[in-house]
Amino acid sequence: MVNYPIHIGETALPQLAHHLQVSSYSRIIVLVDEQTLAHCYPLLQPHLPEHTLIQITSGEAYKNLETCSYIWQEMTTLALDRKAVMLNLGGGVIGDMGGFVAATYKRGISFIQIPTTLLSQVDASVGGKLGIDFQGLKNHIGMYKEPEGVFIVPEFLKSLPYEELRSGFAEVIKHHLIADRTNWQALKELTVLAPAHMQALIQHSVAVKSKIVESDPQEQGLRKALNYGHTIGHAVETHFLNAGHPILHGEAVALGMIAESYLSYERGFLSKTELEEIESYLRKMYPHVNVASSSYEAICALALQDKKNLDGRIMCTLLEGIGRVKVNQEIKGEDIISALTYYGRTVLSS
Ligand SMILES: NC(=O)c1ccc[n+]([C@@H]2O[C@H](COP(=O)([O-])OP(=O)(O)OC[C@H]3O[C@@H](n4cnc5c(N)ncnc54)[C@H](O)[C@@H]3O)[C@@H](O)[C@H]2O)c1
Ligand SMILES: [Zn+2]
């Protein structure tokens, strides 16, 4: 497993309190946005010794250099030294950006992730990727650095809007499809999501992700397994964002998982039954994304810009049966178009 403690469930906050007590941090800073201040901080606060809040505005639009400048400025005004610690209380935006700010302030202070969305609990808080968006490019500036610890409290999910919960759940589905055929059978029976169901699934996802990350921390090969559903999904997500009609990450990834499962089937890696099983569950869980055929070319162009490509070739992770992957599979624009056509067409005919 990874080199830092990950605590999940009721004991997480007492464990955090213990960690803060036995560590010799000079100051404790808690980074929040207005949502996590209102909904999550009240649960955290009783477990903290003396600390100072830094508040930013929520949303991906603020995951940028200006917000970093503001946080660095606040840290400087507080005269934080290198033994201070930053507690990132929020979703993936706070975790990625708070980690980045901490890792660069005075060449790096400690930080702790306290993820509050399902996406950040099952994905963003594990794996050490930090960063911000820059000039419209997602996570363009950043680094790998591990936190002192990750403390996951499923109770935070109670205040999360259902769409956000379902969006994060796409990564839970992904973790089953890439690594766990056995538990997939049970997962696909789960059609109504509730925070109460999540603890065991978070544990499962964190175990799958940390095992993969540990085997390949800098994404040389195996870590690309985690990219399943994301080559086409991410291009579609960016396309809708650019068009001014953003869709949630998990909704795009659900589409991407159908599209990339179709390509896996086309190449003979996945059986028809498996494709249908995956597709039927994802269609049941997620709203259909209407992708106009006139946008297909633009989506292919976006897929070409993916950070995971090699030498200008689009590299995709395909399934080799449920529970196994084939990384570095080259796909062409025409494959993306046929997968998007498949995604659009099956709904029309059903
Ligand atoms: N580092 C990684 O490996 C990694 C992996 C996946 C995604 N990410 C990043 O994560 C980000 C997306 O994360 P996200 O989906 O958590 O989005 P987010 O951080 O924007 O949070 C979504 C919204 O929910 C609010 N919120 C957070 N917790 C809440 C709670 N408990 N109750 C009510 N509202 C709450 C937030 O204020 C925000 O408005 C993206 O920037 C993405 O790049 C990083
Ligand atoms: Zn994702």
Side-chain angles (χ1 to χ4, degrees):
M1 288 292 159
V2 289
N3 293 323
Y4 45 88
I6 303 179
H7 295 283
I8 305 171
E10 272 176 14
T11 57
L13 292 180
Q15 291 280 0
L16 171 66
H18 176 72
H19 173 84
L20 294 172
Q21 202 178 17
V22 299
S23 308
S24 47
Y25 298 125
S26 56
R27 295 280 290 274
I28 299 171
I29 303 300
V30 185
L31 183 66
V32 293
D33 63 32
E34 74 289 349
Q35 301 297 327
T36 62
L37 179 63
H39 301 295
C40 308
Y41 179 66
L43 213 67
L44 171 68
Q45 195 257 342
H47 297 272
L48 298 184
E50 195 187 335
H51 57 277
T52 306
L53 290 175
I54 296 182
Q55 186 183 339
I56 58 171
T57 309
S58 69
E60 184 76 28
Y62 293 90
K63 190 184 174 183
N64 58 26
L65 207 49
E66 286 70 45
T67 313
C68 292
S69 288
Y70 170 75
I71 305 169
W72 284 318
Q73 181 60 57
E74 292 292 294
M75 294 165 87
T76 306
T77 306
L78 290 165
L80 297 187
D81 64 24
R82 296 189 59 194
K83 295 197 110 189
V85 65
M86 177 102 114
L87 272 49
N88 297 318
L89 181 68
V93 167
I94 290 245
D96 283 13
M97 181 163 52
F100 174 72
V101 164
T104 44
Y105 178 80
K106 296 196 175 173
R107 296 205 187 86
I109 63 167
S110 299
F111 64 96
I112 287 174
Q113 304 297 40
I114 313 175
T116 61
T117 61
L118 185 59
L119 182 97
S120 56
Q121 295 187 346
V122 299
D123 190 355
S125 65
V126 178
K129 281 189 188 177
L130 308 172
I132 54 166
D133 304 335
F134 185 69
Q135 296 186 350
L137 299 169
K138 220 166 168 275
N139 300 325
H140 194 60
I141 306 292
M143 79 260 282
Y144 289 94
K145 190 178 176 203
E146 293 187 337
E148 294 292 301
V150 181
F151 296 85
I152 302 180
V153 182
E155 207 181 327
F156 286 145
L157 302 176
K158 286 183 180 161
S159 54
L160 199 65
Y162 185 76
E163 288 71 25
E164 291 283 352
L165 189 71
R166 185 175 64 183
S167 176
F169 188 69
E171 308 291 349
V172 173
I173 298 175
K174 178 190 79 178
H175 289 139
H176 283 76
L177 291 175
I178 63 174
D180 190 345
R181 184 186 185 86
T182 311
N183 283 310
W184 158 252
Q185 298 306 327
L187 186 79
K188 69 181 169 48
E189 304 307 319
L190 185 64
T191 50
V192 181
L193 305 180
H197 301 146
M198 292 302 149
Q199 181 155 332
L201 293 172
I202 295 166
Q203 266 154 348
H204 177 269
S205 272
V206 166
V208 168
K209 183 163 179 187
S210 27
K211 192 165 166 224
I212 293 175
V213 163
E214 197 197 24
S215 70
D216 177 20
Q218 306 275 326
E219 202 161 293
Q220 306 296 312
L222 265 186
R223 187 166 178 163
K224 291 181 185 160
L226 296 165
N227 204 38
Y228 161 65
H230 283 65
T231 305
I232 298 179
H234 193 227
V236 168
E237 182 182 7
T238 309
H239 172 74
F240 278 92
L241 184 68
N242 293 348
H245 309 288
I247 60 174
L248 289 175
H249 178 69
E251 295 170 3
V253 170
L255 174 160
M257 289 193 283
I258 294 175
E260 294 173 20
S261 297
Y262 171 73
L263 295 179
S264 311
Y265 160 72
E266 283 260 279
R267 293 186 183 189
F269 303 152
L270 196 66
S271 73
K272 184 103 199 280
T273 321
E274 288 175 312
L275 169 64
E276 284 170 358
E277 213 174 281
I278 295 168
E279 184 172 352
S280 116
Y281 184 54
L282 289 168
R283 289 208 190 267
K284 211 180 300 167
M285 296 300 291
Y286 292 90
H288 181 69
V289 181
N290 233 325
V291 188
S293 51
S294 54
S295 317
Y296 289 176
E297 291 296 339
I299 291 168
C300 293
L302 287 166
L304 255 174
Q305 291 175 21
D306 197 288
K307 280 201 268 312
K308 294 178 179 72
N309 291 342
L310 289 174
D311 313 325
R313 294 176 301 150
I314 305 172
M315 289 299 175
C316 190
T317 297
L318 298 179
L319 291 183
E320 190 177 25
I322 291 173
R324 290 183 57 186
V325 291
K326 277 174 103 75
V327 300
N328 286 335
Q329 297 299 301
E330 182 176 0
I331 61 169
K332 304 268 189 210
E334 64 223 46
D335 296 318
I336 297 180
I337 292 175
S338 82
L340 288 171
T341 308
Y342 174 82
Y343 175 82
R345 194 178 275 150
T346 18
V347 154
L348 293 178
S349 62
S350 66

